[in-house]
Amino acid sequence: MFRYELDLRKIEKSDLGLLMNLKMQYLEFHHRNAIINAADQEAWFDSLDMNVHQPKNIFMIGSHENQDVGFLGLTNINYIDRTAFVNCDILPEVRSKGMGTKLISSGLQFAREILNLRKICCEILATNQASIRMIQKNNFVHEGTRLQQVYKKGGYVDSLMFGLIIEP
């Protein structure tokens, strides 16, 4: 376990139900429209890169005072360019309480201190105002817009790209 503003731990198979529920709750804000079941979730978990020395993706659960608050992913980790993408989902009972901002902040510390990364990127649908505010509170900068990138609910939505240099 890694202790920052929130504690971070690697996901376990026992977390898959929680992750599937989070994914289904946030479907309108995800770039992909994946309808999943428990077997799909388990197949995804079994396919994860288990290279513990230089993993390409790291998925963690954030907790505060022994209560899980959400899921954090650092994906497409590039150890040469020292970059990665971040994503997260927050449990409904702790939304709008600053836990998402703390989860991202903790993930940034982990990326800098443990993985020695220098830049973190993310991509958020323009309709996801809560995530945009959360990222901006962590000093991410809007780097560009992919116009009408994703089909959602009968129309196309822009995808906003953000980045943050995290090296000292």
Side-chain angles (χ1 to χ4, degrees):
M1 179 163 327
F2 299 92
R3 298 192 182 279
Y4 302 107
E5 280 188 88
L6 297 180
D7 295 334
L8 298 175
R9 66 171 174 79
K10 188 175 179 178
I11 63 166
E12 301 169 352
K13 221 168 210 175
S14 61
D15 296 317
L16 293 182
L18 169 73
L19 296 178
M20 186 173 70
N21 289 336
L22 276 171
K23 186 172 189 81
M24 297 310 291
Q25 289 173 12
Y26 280 106
L27 197 55
E28 69 182 284
F29 296 119
H30 284 248
H31 281 73
R32 288 181 233 123
N33 292 316
I35 307 300
I36 58 172
N37 60 24
D40 297 328
Q41 195 72 358
E42 192 161 326
W44 168 79
F45 183 84
D46 291 340
S47 74
L48 293 178
D49 176 10
M50 294 301 170
N51 177 348
V52 295
H53 299 292
Q54 284 197 326
K56 184 174 180 172
N57 303 299
I58 297 175
F59 300 103
M60 296 179 278
I61 299 293
S63 63
H64 178 67
E65 297 177 353
N66 296 318
Q67 177 189 354
D68 291 344
V69 299
F71 161 83
L72 177 87
L74 290 168
T75 61
N76 298 315
I77 300 169
N78 182 318
Y79 293 95
I80 295 171
D81 295 335
R82 297 176 47 221
T83 60
F85 281 78
V86 68
N87 61 73
C88 74
D89 289 324
I90 306 303
L91 292 169
E93 59 269 23
V94 295
R95 290 181 193 153
S96 301
K97 296 181 179 177
M99 290 299 162
T101 301
K102 289 180 180 181
L103 184 57
I104 292 293
S105 175
S106 297
L108 293 173
Q109 285 182 266
F110 177 86
R112 182 178 53 248
E113 295 172 6
I114 304 301
L115 301 176
N116 192 33
L117 298 181
R118 65 169 191 84
K119 183 178 182 183
I120 303 296
C121 303
C122 69
E123 195 166 345
I124 302 172
L125 295 180
T127 52
N128 190 347
Q129 291 299 308
S131 289
I132 293 168
R133 284 190 302 274
M134 175 185 63
I135 284 297
Q136 289 173 332
K137 285 179 185 174
N138 276 291
N139 300 315
F140 278 73
V141 175
H142 180 239
E143 294 183 332
T145 301
R146 299 169 83 188
L147 299 174
Q148 298 183 9
Q149 183 68 20
V150 178
Y151 185 79
K152 293 285 179 181
K153 296 184 177 181
Y156 289 91
V157 178
D158 294 348
S159 184
L160 309 178
M161 298 176 295
F162 294 88
L164 177 67
I165 304 296
I166 60 172
E167 65 184 355

